């Protein structure tokens, strides 16, 4: 139905005058109904063909878009002329084809692999008809100081070039093997069809040979021309990327985004080179086009700047030159309970300014991305504020994400510079992380060479000159902070300087963290915000990537060291503090009695835990603010507020955890759940409506880094951030969190949120922890209770009859009867807080158990 041929007169330099080439292409025009909104011109790469774009043709027909997918000459089902076509010839070929087909604007070019280069060359030369550009894994520039990708080096090797590309189908088969997941036999056969013989594969050979490997290559000048010219393309651009591509990696994506800064980018984690096969790219492309009233190149105006702005480093400047200059600013604790390192405000101010000057000297500029792989403490504090002062964008990801998760985060942001301790530098070498490498500590010269280290922090901060550059714009990017990865791959969250400053101001007003406060930070982000608040900050002796390692002795020693007034720690950290309370010294106990505010967030905190903590910090107001990497804080509540909320009847479905009222300048509303568990309701503040929690505040993140689809979903209600959490508001405007949207159970009898039932189960003396999950197809899921017995049993599987009966009895008052009750020795949790239950992993395990498959604990 879509396959057709067209004889096209050629004007390409490679063809003799009067040459007519026969083109094959796919065209969904016969399937279109009604007025055409525009045309997508799709150009494949090597060694695929127009078949690559079949999903776009089908979706375009439904959306009112004409889609024309060409087979480049010598490729697919188009003519084999036998002539060696260069890049300039292929661009001219495409112009000949579109002219013969009389394609006019609005025209959207879509390209993949070397088809991306050809489509960009065409776009550059045909701007009058160009409406938008879409790119999937491609490249437009090769760094002369970096080798071309290994698979292409091999294919270009004279000893194997012809053998691997045309004599045998090795290059084709290798490309097909890059699909994630593996292509079906039918799809593989379709890709092989036009390339059954060596003569039919000659175009593959020639395409590889046309890769410009240096200035002497015949196509180098044309590629260079296109790479320079596209910087002035003034149309919307969408880039859909498979980051597991061994050929066109994130390095090439980074180059393209610098040339086309207006681009919307989405990286499909886990997808590779054949991203159009690995993921559905049709829906996002047409959603993206549909989001625009006009794709004529008009830009959406930026939001106007609002409110006052004070840079994050202002307190360091002010206190470093004022009456408090000699008082402690930041400190690190040693394992012996004594201060290992301390900087006064004057010293901190000087160190930040000198390091900023040193970083600027080696090329760190406004907009440079700098990955900081240094543990929280004095060194990291200085680094962060030096980078912010320069306007560099700091990239922070938890080492607790594990090697794979951390590597994904670093590679995905493509940092220009990477500052790390030796362990991080070893990982950078092993995993090939990008960026100029800077050692945070002493490394022997021979080892530094092995690790690719080119600079040392001690050298960069050892100068006497202060940084004199201009302050960055308040609305420029300041930081990329990664989520914990508790609900999928960790996401990079982008904040501007204005938004980070708004976060500081909100914390200051909400919690009374004024200049002169003293903060013990058992949670890394608060250690970093301490100086911005004018608060002395100390990091206790602990592994910050494992919050449960914080001991009562370490906490109290840190509090004593700076006469702390405030403590922040995660629930897992505080549990271990209570478990080790017997080790507190008299000096430490006295320091804890001086604490005025104790903050804990990141996961639901049982009121019983707060009661026990109050005995340790009898003068403290205990707060449990609610927030997330994307917006912190959202609400706040103290221990007394929790008591009052628990004593009142709560209208609406479910119970959940009361997290209090919105912080100053923040607003909350709820998008109600429908019968499928989707948050489709019109946002409301009506009490008792359970749905997705939406937040609006000056300190909400700017966007997700290179996750356009994720950002689109989270901001589909204009002006609001959709949190992915579910809950409801009570009649006094307090928010109750009932779980994650992804963990809602959709049974035949209705929608069930997990936290309320979990709380009911955890009231049993025989239960330490519980998770309520759904097993089976959406809409007919069975509710399954998974519990951790209080007796510390190691068994996993079906719960003993007595325990199961107790759980069912506890849930019966809410009208719930679980289909099964299972036990685990421990529930899987996130790496950052060691507290958020990974209900998806629990549900998968429960399904395996109930279906008689393996019973390995998640």
């Amino acid at each position: 139905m879509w396959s057709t041929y067209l004889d096209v007169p050629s004007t390409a330099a490679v063809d003799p005058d009067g040459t007519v080439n026969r083109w094959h292409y796919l065209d969904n025009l016969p399937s279109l109904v009604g007025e055409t909104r525009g045309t997508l011109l799709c150009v494949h790469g090597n060694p695929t063909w127009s078949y690559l774009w079949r999903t776009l043709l089908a979706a375009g027909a439904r959306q009112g878009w004409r889609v024309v997918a060409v087979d480049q000459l010598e490729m697919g089902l188009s003519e084999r002329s036998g002539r060696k076509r260069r890049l300039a010839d292929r661009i001219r070929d495409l112009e000949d084809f579109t002219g013969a087909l009389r394609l006019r604007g609005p025209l959207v070019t879509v390209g993949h692999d070397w088809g991306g280069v050809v489509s960009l060359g065409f776009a550059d030369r045909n701007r009058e008809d160009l409406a938008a550009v879409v790119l999937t894994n491609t490249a437009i520039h090769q760094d002369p100081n970096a080798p071309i990708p290994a698979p292409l080096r091999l294919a270009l090797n004279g000893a194997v070039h012809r053998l691997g590309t045309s004599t045998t189908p090795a290059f084709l088969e290798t490309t097909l093997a890059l699909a994630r997941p593996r292509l079906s036999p039918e799809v593989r056969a379709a890709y092989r069809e036009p390339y059954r013989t060596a003569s039919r594969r000659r175009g593959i050979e020639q395409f590889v040979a046309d890769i410009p490997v240096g200035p002497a290559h015949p196509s180098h000048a044309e590629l260079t021309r296109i790479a320079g010219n596209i910087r002035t393309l003034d149309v919307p651009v969408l880039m859909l990327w498979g980051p597991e591509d061994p050929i066109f990696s994130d390095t090439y994506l980074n180059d393209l985004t610098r040339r086309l800064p207006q681009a919307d980018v989405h990286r499909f984690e886990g997808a590779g080179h054949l991203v159009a096969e690995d993921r559905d790219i049709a829906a996002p492309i047409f959603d993206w086009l549909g989001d625009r009233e006009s794709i004529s190149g008009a830009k959406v105006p930026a939001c106007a700047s609002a409110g006052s702005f004070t840079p994050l480093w202002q307190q360091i400047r002010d206190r470093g030159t004022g009456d408090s200059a000699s008082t402690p600013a930041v400190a690190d604790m040693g394992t012996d309970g004594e201060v290992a390192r301390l900087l006064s405000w004057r010293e901190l101010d000087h160190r930040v300014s000198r390091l900023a000057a040193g970083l600027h000297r080696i090329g760190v500029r406004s907009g440079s991305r700098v990955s900081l792989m240094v543990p929280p403490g004095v060194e990291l504090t200085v680094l962060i504020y030096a980078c912010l002062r320069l306007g560099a964008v700091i990239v922070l990801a938890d080492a607790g994400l594990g090697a794979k998760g951390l590597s994904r985060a670093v590679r995905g942001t493509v940092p220009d510079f990477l500052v790390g301790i030796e362990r991080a530098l070893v990982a950078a070498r092993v995993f090939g992380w990008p960026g100029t490498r800077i050692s945070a500590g002493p490394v022997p010269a021979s080892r530094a060479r092995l690790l690719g280290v080119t600079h040392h922090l001690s050298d960069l901060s050892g100068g006497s000159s202060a940084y004199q550059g201009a302050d960055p714009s308040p609305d420029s990017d300041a930081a990329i902070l990664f989520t914990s990865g508790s609900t999928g791959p960790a996401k990079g969250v982008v904040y501007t300087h204005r938004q980070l400053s708004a976060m500081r101001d909100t914390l200051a007003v909400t919690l009374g963290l004024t200049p002169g406060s003293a903060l013990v930070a058992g949670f890394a982000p608060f250690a970093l915000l301490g100086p911005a608040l004018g608060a002395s900050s100390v990091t206790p002796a602990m592994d910050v990537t494992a919050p449960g390692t914080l001991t009562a002795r370490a906490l109290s020693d840190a509090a004593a060291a700076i006469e702390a007034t405030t403590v922040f720690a995660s629930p897992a950290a505080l549990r271990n503090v209570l478990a080790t309370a017997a080790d507190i010294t008299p000096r430490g106990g006295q320091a804890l009695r001086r604490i005025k505010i104790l903050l804990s967030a990141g996961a639901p905190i049982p009121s019983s835990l707060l009661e026990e903590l109050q005995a340790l910090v009898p003068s403290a107001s205990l707060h449990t603010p609610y927030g997330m990497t994307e917006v912190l804080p959202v609400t706040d509540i103290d221990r007394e507020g929790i008591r009052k909320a628990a004593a009142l009847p709560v209208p609406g479905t479910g119970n959940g955890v009361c997290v209090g009222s919105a912080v100053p300048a923040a607003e909350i509303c709820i998008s109600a759940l429908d019968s499928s568990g989707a948050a489709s309701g019109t946002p409301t503040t009506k009490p008792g409506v359970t749905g997705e929690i939406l937040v609006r505040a000056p300190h909400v993140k700017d966007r997700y880094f290179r996750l356009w689809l994720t950002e689109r979903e989270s901001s589909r209600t204009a002006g609001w951030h959709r949190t992915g959490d579910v809950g409801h508001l009570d009649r006094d405007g307090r928010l109750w969190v009932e779980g994650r949207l992804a963990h809602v159970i959709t049974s035949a009898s209705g929608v069930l949120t997990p936290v309320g039932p979990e709380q009911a189960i955890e009231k049993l003396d025989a239960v330490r922890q519980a998770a309520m999950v759904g097993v089976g197809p959406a809409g007919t899921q069975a509710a399954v209770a998974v519990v951790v017995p209080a007796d510390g049993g190691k068994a996993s599987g079906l719960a003993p009859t007595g325990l199961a009966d107790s759980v069912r009895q506890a849930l019966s008052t809410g009208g719930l009867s679980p289909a099964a009750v299972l036990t685990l020795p421990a529930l899987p949790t996130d790496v950052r807080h060691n507290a958020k239950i990974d209900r998806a992993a629990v549900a998968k395990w429960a399904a395996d158990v109930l279906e008689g498959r393996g019973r390995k604990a998640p």
Side-chain angles (χ1 to χ4, degrees), residues 484-508:
S484 65
S486 59
T487 56
K491 300 182 288 291
V493 179
V494 181
Y495 277 93
T496 65
H497 288 270
R498 187 183 302 278
Q499 290 157 347
L500 283 181
S501 294
M503 181 191 298
R504 172 206 58 203
D505 297 342
T506 300
L507 285 168

PDB file of all heavy atoms in Angstrom, residues 484-508:
ATOM      1  N   SER A 484      16.943   9.363  43.378  1.00  0.00           N
ATOM      2  CA  SER A 484      17.477   8.161  44.025  1.00  0.00           C
ATOM      3  C   SER A 484      17.360   6.915  43.163  1.00  0.00           C
ATOM      4  O   SER A 484      17.981   5.898  43.456  1.00  0.00           O
ATOM      5  CB  SER A 484      16.750   7.917  45.349  1.00  0.00           C
ATOM      6  OG  SER A 484      15.375   7.626  45.118  1.00  0.00           O
ATOM      7  N   GLY A 485      16.555   6.980  42.095  1.00  0.00           N
ATOM      8  CA  GLY A 485      16.385   5.791  41.263  1.00  0.00           C
ATOM      9  C   GLY A 485      15.494   4.746  41.896  1.00  0.00           C
ATOM     10  O   GLY A 485      15.533   3.576  41.533  1.00  0.00           O
ATOM     11  N   SER A 486      14.634   5.166  42.838  1.00  0.00           N
ATOM     12  CA  SER A 486      13.779   4.200  43.531  1.00  0.00           C
ATOM     13  C   SER A 486      12.604   3.748  42.678  1.00  0.00           C
ATOM     14  O   SER A 486      11.970   2.735  42.978  1.00  0.00           O
ATOM     15  CB  SER A 486      13.253   4.804  44.843  1.00  0.00           C
ATOM     16  OG  SER A 486      12.516   5.986  44.590  1.00  0.00           O
ATOM     17  N   THR A 487      12.286   4.485  41.600  1.00  0.00           N
ATOM     18  CA  THR A 487      11.162   4.103  40.735  1.00  0.00           C
ATOM     19  C   THR A 487      11.610   3.982  39.278  1.00  0.00           C
ATOM     20  O   THR A 487      10.850   4.268  38.368  1.00  0.00           O
ATOM     21  CB  THR A 487      10.023   5.136  40.844  1.00  0.00           C
ATOM     22  OG1 THR A 487      10.549   6.437  40.536  1.00  0.00           O
ATOM     23  CG2 THR A 487       9.428   5.140  42.234  1.00  0.00           C
ATOM     24  N   GLY A 488      12.853   3.559  39.061  1.00  0.00           N
ATOM     25  CA  GLY A 488      13.388   3.423  37.707  1.00  0.00           C
ATOM     26  C   GLY A 488      14.757   4.071  37.641  1.00  0.00           C
ATOM     27  O   GLY A 488      15.311   4.484  38.666  1.00  0.00           O
ATOM     28  N   PRO A 489      15.345   4.155  36.453  1.00  0.00           N
ATOM     29  CA  PRO A 489      16.659   4.797  36.337  1.00  0.00           C
ATOM     30  C   PRO A 489      16.643   6.197  36.927  1.00  0.00           C
ATOM     31  O   PRO A 489      15.689   6.952  36.749  1.00  0.00           O
ATOM     32  CB  PRO A 489      16.896   4.831  34.822  1.00  0.00           C
ATOM     33  CG  PRO A 489      16.056   3.711  34.277  1.00  0.00           C
ATOM     34  CD  PRO A 489      14.835   3.655  35.154  1.00  0.00           C
ATOM     35  N   ALA A 490      17.716   6.533  37.663  1.00  0.00           N
ATOM     36  CA  ALA A 490      17.811   7.856  38.274  1.00  0.00           C
ATOM     37  C   ALA A 490      17.709   8.943  37.199  1.00  0.00           C
ATOM     38  O   ALA A 490      18.284   8.826  36.125  1.00  0.00           O
ATOM     39  CB  ALA A 490      19.127   7.982  39.032  1.00  0.00           C
ATOM     40  N   LYS A 491      16.960   9.992  37.515  1.00  0.00           N
ATOM     41  CA  LYS A 491      16.736  11.083  36.558  1.00  0.00           C
ATOM     42  C   LYS A 491      17.546  12.308  36.972  1.00  0.00           C
ATOM     43  O   LYS A 491      17.619  12.633  38.163  1.00  0.00           O
ATOM     44  CB  LYS A 491      15.240  11.432  36.505  1.00  0.00           C
ATOM     45  CG  LYS A 491      14.350  10.288  36.066  1.00  0.00           C
ATOM     46  CD  LYS A 491      12.889  10.709  35.989  1.00  0.00           C
ATOM     47  CE  LYS A 491      12.250  10.924  37.355  1.00  0.00           C
ATOM     48  NZ  LYS A 491      12.073   9.673  38.105  1.00  0.00           N
ATOM     49  N   GLY A 492      18.111  12.988  35.992  1.00  0.00           N
ATOM     50  CA  GLY A 492      18.808  14.237  36.255  1.00  0.00           C
ATOM     51  C   GLY A 492      17.808  15.383  36.329  1.00  0.00           C
ATOM     52  O   GLY A 492      17.023  15.586  35.407  1.00  0.00           O
ATOM     53  N   VAL A 493      17.826  16.106  37.434  1.00  0.00           N
ATOM     54  CA  VAL A 493      16.890  17.210  37.666  1.00  0.00           C
ATOM     55  C   VAL A 493      17.663  18.524  37.573  1.00  0.00           C
ATOM     56  O   VAL A 493      18.619  18.739  38.317  1.00  0.00           O
ATOM     57  CB  VAL A 493      16.216  17.082  39.048  1.00  0.00           C
ATOM     58  CG1 VAL A 493      15.264  18.241  39.300  1.00  0.00           C
ATOM     59  CG2 VAL A 493      15.482  15.740  39.153  1.00  0.00           C
ATOM     60  N   VAL A 494      17.253  19.386  36.647  1.00  0.00           N
ATOM     61  CA  VAL A 494      17.971  20.630  36.394  1.00  0.00           C
ATOM     62  C   VAL A 494      17.359  21.771  37.209  1.00  0.00           C
ATOM     63  O   VAL A 494      16.142  21.984  37.187  1.00  0.00           O
ATOM     64  CB  VAL A 494      17.938  21.000  34.900  1.00  0.00           C
ATOM     65  CG1 VAL A 494      18.713  22.290  34.648  1.00  0.00           C
ATOM     66  CG2 VAL A 494      18.515  19.863  34.057  1.00  0.00           C
ATOM     67  N   TYR A 495      18.235  22.496  37.931  1.00  0.00           N
ATOM     68  CA  TYR A 495      17.836  23.693  38.669  1.00  0.00           C
ATOM     69  C   TYR A 495      18.603  24.892  38.131  1.00  0.00           C
ATOM     70  O   TYR A 495      19.793  24.797  37.808  1.00  0.00           O
ATOM     71  CB  TYR A 495      18.153  23.552  40.157  1.00  0.00           C
ATOM     72  CG  TYR A 495      17.126  22.797  40.948  1.00  0.00           C
ATOM     73  CD1 TYR A 495      17.254  21.427  41.162  1.00  0.00           C
ATOM     74  CD2 TYR A 495      16.026  23.440  41.507  1.00  0.00           C
ATOM     75  CE1 TYR A 495      16.315  20.725  41.895  1.00  0.00           C
ATOM     76  CE2 TYR A 495      15.085  22.751  42.243  1.00  0.00           C
ATOM     77  CZ  TYR A 495      15.230  21.395  42.434  1.00  0.00           C
ATOM     78  OH  TYR A 495      14.301  20.705  43.163  1.00  0.00           O
ATOM     79  N   THR A 496      17.941  26.016  38.063  1.00  0.00           N
ATOM     80  CA  THR A 496      18.612  27.274  37.777  1.00  0.00           C
ATOM     81  C   THR A 496      19.102  27.884  39.099  1.00  0.00           C
ATOM     82  O   THR A 496      18.725  27.441  40.187  1.00  0.00           O
ATOM     83  CB  THR A 496      17.672  28.266  37.084  1.00  0.00           C
ATOM     84  OG1 THR A 496      16.611  28.605  38.001  1.00  0.00           O
ATOM     85  CG2 THR A 496      17.087  27.676  35.813  1.00  0.00           C
ATOM     86  N   HIS A 497      19.923  28.924  38.983  1.00  0.00           N
ATOM     87  CA  HIS A 497      20.383  29.622  40.189  1.00  0.00           C
ATOM     88  C   HIS A 497      19.199  30.201  40.957  1.00  0.00           C
ATOM     89  O   HIS A 497      19.156  30.133  42.195  1.00  0.00           O
ATOM     90  CB  HIS A 497      21.358  30.740  39.802  1.00  0.00           C
ATOM     91  CG  HIS A 497      22.692  30.247  39.356  1.00  0.00           C
ATOM     92  ND1 HIS A 497      23.740  30.036  40.218  1.00  0.00           N
ATOM     93  CD2 HIS A 497      23.155  29.892  38.122  1.00  0.00           C
ATOM     94  CE1 HIS A 497      24.791  29.589  39.547  1.00  0.00           C
ATOM     95  NE2 HIS A 497      24.454  29.491  38.275  1.00  0.00           N
ATOM     96  N   ARG A 498      18.223  30.727  40.234  1.00  0.00           N
ATOM     97  CA  ARG A 498      17.065  31.319  40.910  1.00  0.00           C
ATOM     98  C   ARG A 498      16.289  30.259  41.694  1.00  0.00           C
ATOM     99  O   ARG A 498      15.833  30.497  42.814  1.00  0.00           O
ATOM    100  CB  ARG A 498      16.150  31.991  39.888  1.00  0.00           C
ATOM    101  CG  ARG A 498      15.012  32.787  40.513  1.00  0.00           C
ATOM    102  CD  ARG A 498      14.087  33.371  39.454  1.00  0.00           C
ATOM    103  NE  ARG A 498      14.779  34.235  38.527  1.00  0.00           N
ATOM    104  CZ  ARG A 498      15.074  35.512  38.776  1.00  0.00           C
ATOM    105  NH1 ARG A 498      14.751  36.040  39.941  1.00  0.00           N
ATOM    106  NH2 ARG A 498      15.684  36.240  37.863  1.00  0.00           N
ATOM    107  N   GLN A 499      16.127  29.093  41.099  1.00  0.00           N
ATOM    108  CA  GLN A 499      15.349  28.036  41.760  1.00  0.00           C
ATOM    109  C   GLN A 499      16.076  27.477  42.981  1.00  0.00           C
ATOM    110  O   GLN A 499      15.452  27.192  44.010  1.00  0.00           O
ATOM    111  CB  GLN A 499      15.043  26.932  40.751  1.00  0.00           C
ATOM    112  CG  GLN A 499      14.040  27.355  39.689  1.00  0.00           C
ATOM    113  CD  GLN A 499      14.119  26.545  38.423  1.00  0.00           C
ATOM    114  OE1 GLN A 499      15.067  25.791  38.192  1.00  0.00           O
ATOM    115  NE2 GLN A 499      13.132  26.707  37.561  1.00  0.00           N
ATOM    116  N   LEU A 500      17.406  27.325  42.904  1.00  0.00           N
ATOM    117  CA  LEU A 500      18.160  26.880  44.082  1.00  0.00           C
ATOM    118  C   LEU A 500      18.086  27.918  45.193  1.00  0.00           C
ATOM    119  O   LEU A 500      17.960  27.571  46.381  1.00  0.00           O
ATOM    120  CB  LEU A 500      19.616  26.618  43.708  1.00  0.00           C
ATOM    121  CG  LEU A 500      19.929  25.327  42.960  1.00  0.00           C
ATOM    122  CD1 LEU A 500      21.427  25.223  42.706  1.00  0.00           C
ATOM    123  CD2 LEU A 500      19.454  24.094  43.722  1.00  0.00           C
ATOM    124  N   SER A 501      18.154  29.179  44.825  1.00  0.00           N
ATOM    125  CA  SER A 501      18.051  30.224  45.829  1.00  0.00           C
ATOM    126  C   SER A 501      16.663  30.246  46.463  1.00  0.00           C
ATOM    127  O   SER A 501      16.519  30.494  47.667  1.00  0.00           O
ATOM    128  CB  SER A 501      18.383  31.590  45.208  1.00  0.00           C
ATOM    129  OG  SER A 501      19.735  31.636  44.811  1.00  0.00           O
ATOM    130  N   ALA A 502      15.644  29.962  45.655  1.00  0.00           N
ATOM    131  CA  ALA A 502      14.282  29.891  46.198  1.00  0.00           C
ATOM    132  C   ALA A 502      14.157  28.718  47.166  1.00  0.00           C
ATOM    133  O   ALA A 502      13.446  28.810  48.178  1.00  0.00           O
ATOM    134  CB  ALA A 502      13.276  29.759  45.056  1.00  0.00           C
ATOM    135  N   MET A 503      14.840  27.598  46.873  1.00  0.00           N
ATOM    136  CA  MET A 503      14.836  26.462  47.788  1.00  0.00           C
ATOM    137  C   MET A 503      15.463  26.859  49.124  1.00  0.00           C
ATOM    138  O   MET A 503      14.925  26.563  50.198  1.00  0.00           O
ATOM    139  CB  MET A 503      15.609  25.287  47.181  1.00  0.00           C
ATOM    140  CG  MET A 503      15.634  24.046  48.066  1.00  0.00           C
ATOM    141  SD  MET A 503      16.805  22.792  47.478  1.00  0.00           S
ATOM    142  CE  MET A 503      16.118  22.391  45.875  1.00  0.00           C
ATOM    143  N   ARG A 504      16.596  27.548  49.059  1.00  0.00           N
ATOM    144  CA  ARG A 504      17.244  28.031  50.286  1.00  0.00           C
ATOM    145  C   ARG A 504      16.314  28.931  51.082  1.00  0.00           C
ATOM    146  O   ARG A 504      16.158  28.769  52.298  1.00  0.00           O
ATOM    147  CB  ARG A 504      18.520  28.790  49.903  1.00  0.00           C
ATOM    148  CG  ARG A 504      19.202  29.523  51.048  1.00  0.00           C
ATOM    149  CD  ARG A 504      20.011  30.710  50.536  1.00  0.00           C
ATOM    150  NE  ARG A 504      19.174  31.662  49.799  1.00  0.00           N
ATOM    151  CZ  ARG A 504      19.641  32.513  48.900  1.00  0.00           C
ATOM    152  NH1 ARG A 504      20.930  32.537  48.620  1.00  0.00           N
ATOM    153  NH2 ARG A 504      18.820  33.353  48.283  1.00  0.00           N
ATOM    154  N   ASP A 505      15.669  29.876  50.399  1.00  0.00           N
ATOM    155  CA  ASP A 505      14.802  30.826  51.087  1.00  0.00           C
ATOM    156  C   ASP A 505      13.605  30.122  51.717  1.00  0.00           C
ATOM    157  O   ASP A 505      13.168  30.483  52.824  1.00  0.00           O
ATOM    158  CB  ASP A 505      14.323  31.898  50.106  1.00  0.00           C
ATOM    159  CG  ASP A 505      15.474  32.733  49.559  1.00  0.00           C
ATOM    160  OD1 ASP A 505      16.565  32.722  50.165  1.00  0.00           O
ATOM    161  OD2 ASP A 505      15.282  33.376  48.503  1.00  0.00           O
ATOM    162  N   THR A 506      13.060  29.130  51.014  1.00  0.00           N
ATOM    163  CA  THR A 506      11.911  28.397  51.544  1.00  0.00           C
ATOM    164  C   THR A 506      12.297  27.625  52.806  1.00  0.00           C
ATOM    165  O   THR A 506      11.551  27.613  53.797  1.00  0.00           O
ATOM    166  CB  THR A 506      11.353  27.431  50.483  1.00  0.00           C
ATOM    167  OG1 THR A 506      10.956  28.185  49.337  1.00  0.00           O
ATOM    168  CG2 THR A 506      10.156  26.662  51.024  1.00  0.00           C
ATOM    169  N   LEU A 507      13.445  26.979  52.770  1.00  0.00           N
ATOM    170  CA  LEU A 507      13.915  26.249  53.955  1.00  0.00           C
ATOM    171  C   LEU A 507      14.144  27.206  55.125  1.00  0.00           C
ATOM    172  O   LEU A 507      13.791  26.897  56.277  1.00  0.00           O
ATOM    173  CB  LEU A 507      15.203  25.499  53.635  1.00  0.00           C
ATOM    174  CG  LEU A 507      15.052  24.239  52.797  1.00  0.00           C
ATOM    175  CD1 LEU A 507      16.403  23.755  52.299  1.00  0.00           C
ATOM    176  CD2 LEU A 507      14.375  23.139  53.608  1.00  0.00           C
ATOM    177  N   ALA A 508      14.719  28.348  54.832  1.00  0.00           N
ATOM    178  CA  ALA A 508      14.997  29.316  55.890  1.00  0.00           C
ATOM    179  C   ALA A 508      13.721  29.774  56.581  1.00  0.00           C
ATOM    180  O   ALA A 508      13.635  29.804  57.816  1.00  0.00           O
ATOM    181  CB  ALA A 508      15.757  30.508  55.313  1.00  0.00           C
TER     182      ALA A 508
END
